[in-house]
Amino acid sequence: MLKAAVAQTNLRDFGDDSFRGGLGVLLDSLEREARLNAAGEKFLYDRITLHLGQRLQVEDWYRRHPEIEAERIVAPLIGIGLPRTGSTALSVLLAQDPAVRYIRRWESAQPCPPASTVEGVDRRIPPDLGEMVGTRYHVPVDKHGPMECHDLMALDFKSHIFHAYAQVPSYSSWLLDADLTSTFAYQRRVLKLMQWGEPQRPWRLKCPSHVLFLDSLNTAFPDAKFVMTHRDPADVILSVAELYADITGRFTDDIDLPYIGRLNVEHWTEGMRRTVAFRAGGADDRFYDIDFRAMQADPLGEVRGLYAWLGEPVSEEFETRMQSWWTTAAAEREPGHRADPVTYDIDLDRVRPAFADYVAHAERWTAH
């Protein structure tokens, strides 16, 4: 795969070797455990080769333009929290602000070349809605809209995105205790490249899995502020397990739904434990909290509250664009439904106590 990426790009420098550890564990787990079908084999091979090729290109851009290193990433606002807590809708609302920068859907998996260097139509921008892995869109999709950090993290091969694509228990277990310092350092490197040649604007980032790696994230972005979304974990766990199954089911003919249930209970309970500890360690004042119910009731009001906390204005254009998107989203959003916990071997009477400490903190955090 390394040779294939070199052949496709005619480049040889992958930069720091930090990515090789995660790549090795991932490939071993895919080979031994994933039970991929033909579609899965092709998708994962192509995807991993794409990430390797993009890493080669990132290093080539830095080699030819060392001034990129001088770019500054100042006080990004990073969205975190359990998945399925309204964080995607919030990130789309925040992306309506013309004064901010975010990871655009079409540049997420292919950050090279930097958008500022492309003349004419950028071939990465799809003519339709763009790639959607799985069978449901969940929220209205804008090909220019925001994406999570998963693909940039995948350049270091330490990313939750891989265990959403495939059943890789060894990799998932390894990732839970992995050091992601190099992952977020490389993400920062790529963000500098992405903003190079553009007016400097504050970044709006978002990734639920960051709750597991806040210490490493803080090393790369020590001035970051966080917006955290909250919802009943019992609803979240079922919803995210169903989402994983929807994606993974495309790439295997032997899906293990109870495994997907156990995986999500393990990772997200640990993520909440680590987040509570991180905030208690002196970072609480860097967080703004939004309850899912409040977000559904008054989304623009919640964004205004966030911006007041940031000390930033909500422009008239920003407000108009948010209102327009939310109105469209309300009309197009899929009707909600609740998966059967038995399908995923999830015992909600045992899940709720596992999240009890987080829930108690969340009630205090969202009291405003």
Side-chain angles (χ1 to χ4, degrees):
M1 299 186 87
L2 293 165
K3 290 178 179 177
V6 168
Q8 289 175 12
T9 61
N10 202 29
L11 301 168
R12 307 193 66 85
D13 181 11
F14 288 95
D16 187 275
D17 278 347
S18 62
F19 75 95
R20 293 178 181 263
L23 177 60
V25 175
L26 174 63
L27 292 177
D28 179 68
S29 192
L30 286 169
E31 179 72 20
R32 294 188 299 104
E33 301 169 330
R35 304 188 297 279
L36 298 172
N37 57 25
E41 288 274 1
K42 175 172 174 43
F43 179 85
L44 268 299
Y45 184 92
D46 289 349
R47 193 75 180 197
I48 291 169
T49 306
L50 171 67
H51 292 314
L52 289 169
Q54 287 294 303
R55 190 175 175 108
L56 286 165
Q57 291 183 52
V58 168
E59 296 307 311
D60 185 58
W61 276 98
Y62 268 89
R63 179 187 62 80
R64 291 184 288 116
H65 298 279
E67 68 273 17
I68 296 170
E69 188 61 54
E71 290 287 321
R72 300 174 66 234
I73 307 295
V74 180
L77 177 67
I78 304 177
I80 68 166
L82 292 169
R84 319 301 287 159
T85 56
S87 58
T88 297
L90 175 62
S91 72
V92 177
L93 284 173
L94 296 179
Q96 304 309 308
D97 185 351
V100 305
R101 181 68 157 91
Y102 54 87
I103 302 170
R104 304 174 184 117
R105 175 173 291 274
W106 50 266
E107 69 182 351
S108 175
Q110 293 180 276
C112 295
S116 64
T117 68
V118 178
E119 297 181 1
V121 177
D122 195 314
R123 290 183 296 176
R124 290 171 294 182
I125 302 175
D128 54 15
L129 292 176
E131 178 189 53
M132 179 64 186
V133 178
T135 61
R136 294 176 294 140
Y137 279 93
H138 309 287
V139 296
V141 174
D142 177 358
K143 62 189 175 186
H144 298 285
M147 284 292 280
E148 297 177 350
C149 302
H150 289 303
D151 278 320
L152 299 193
M153 296 168 71
L155 295 172
D156 196 50
F157 293 93
K158 300 185 186 82
S159 175
H160 258 206
I161 199 169
F162 295 117
H163 76 196
Y165 290 151
Q167 298 165 134
V168 282
S170 294
Y171 176 80
S172 297
S173 178
W174 171 85
L175 181 63
L176 201 57
D177 296 316
D179 181 354
L180 268 69
T181 301
S182 64
T183 308
F184 294 120
Y186 206 79
Q187 176 171 340
R188 188 181 185 97
R189 184 170 175 80
V190 178
L191 292 176
K192 287 183 177 185
L193 176 65
M194 291 168 73
Q195 79 173 21
W196 178 58
E198 299 181 356
Q200 185 168 324
R201 291 168 287 172
W203 280 91
R204 302 289 188 250
L205 305 173
K206 175 247 181 179
C207 199
S209 66
H210 287 344
V211 295
L212 283 158
F213 313 112
L214 287 169
D215 288 333
S216 296
L217 182 66
N218 188 55
T219 299
F221 303 102
D223 59 349
K225 293 184 178 180
F226 303 93
V227 55
M228 187 171 181
T229 47
H230 304 274
R231 187 181 183 184
D232 180 357
D235 291 336
V236 164
I237 287 298
L238 284 173
S239 183
V240 72
E242 188 176 39
L243 176 62
Y244 274 46
D246 182 48
I247 297 171
T248 305
R250 284 189 54 193
F251 302 135
T252 181
D253 301 323
D254 188 11
I255 192 168
D256 185 344
L257 297 178
Y259 160 72
I260 290 175
R262 292 192 303 273
L263 171 71
N264 281 287
V265 170
E266 178 187 22
H267 275 242
W268 298 117
T269 53
E270 178 62 14
M272 290 301 95
R273 185 193 69 78
R274 293 181 186 180
T275 300
V276 168
F278 179 78
R279 294 182 65 156
D284 216 21
D285 62 344
R286 295 165 61 189
F287 282 75
Y288 187 87
D289 297 278
I290 297 178
D291 184 272
F292 179 79
R293 294 161 296 182
M295 185 71 181
Q296 294 299 303
D298 185 13
L300 273 64
E302 290 301 312
V303 173
R304 290 189 208 101
L306 170 61
Y307 265 59
W309 177 75
L310 291 170
E312 299 179 10
V314 175
S315 69
E316 184 176 343
E317 180 183 359
F318 182 20
E319 179 111 13
T320 300
R321 290 173 58 176
M322 282 197 293
Q323 185 63 65
S324 175
W325 182 83
W326 189 263
T327 301
T328 301
E332 297 183 9
R333 189 176 293 113
E334 296 175 343
H337 70 284
R338 188 180 181 90
D340 185 350
V342 174
T343 303
Y344 298 94
D345 196 23
I346 293 176
D347 183 347
L348 295 180
D349 290 334
R350 297 181 66 181
V351 166
R352 289 190 178 94
F355 282 102
D357 184 51
Y358 156 67
V359 169
H361 281 83
E363 288 176 354
R364 175 175 62 82
W365 293 334
T366 58
H368 66 275

